[in-house]
Amino acid sequence: AGNAPAPAGPSLPLERYTGVFVDSTYGKIQVMLANGVLRAQVEDERPVELEPAEAQRALARSRVEAAAAVSQLRQALGLLPE
């Protein structure tokens, strides 16, 4: 089968990367889409343009952190892993 080249561009529509995310280091980060360009704004800083790959990594990181938080809560409540 060989190695297939990596797909060009993000794997999701850009709208799926938008939202407000909370990071333990940076605080609240708002990711917004305007005119086909993703921008991230940390707290009171100026928005910066994101490359789609950066947004995809941030989304994946937030999903991993959410899953870890759910796991910790389940353990604290004495619930068995799924």
Side-chain angles (χ1 to χ4, degrees):
N3 292 336
S11 62
L12 298 173
L14 293 180
E15 296 83 20
R16 298 284 306 272
Y17 298 103
T18 62
V20 177
F21 305 90
V22 178
D23 180 79
S24 60
T25 302
Y26 298 106
K28 285 185 181 177
I29 304 168
Q30 181 176 3
V31 178
M32 57 210 110
L33 177 65
N35 299 320
V37 177
L38 284 170
R39 289 186 175 81
Q41 182 173 10
V42 178
E43 297 289 335
D44 296 326
E45 300 292 323
R46 294 182 60 177
V48 294
E49 192 170 315
L50 292 176
E51 293 293 322
E54 291 173 358
Q56 191 163 339
R57 281 192 297 271
L59 180 61
R61 208 170 30 250
S62 70
R63 287 182 177 157
V64 168
E65 289 172 0
V70 168
S71 178
Q72 289 173 352
L73 179 59
R74 290 176 61 81
Q75 287 177 353
L77 295 174
L79 301 172
L80 297 175
E82 295 178 332

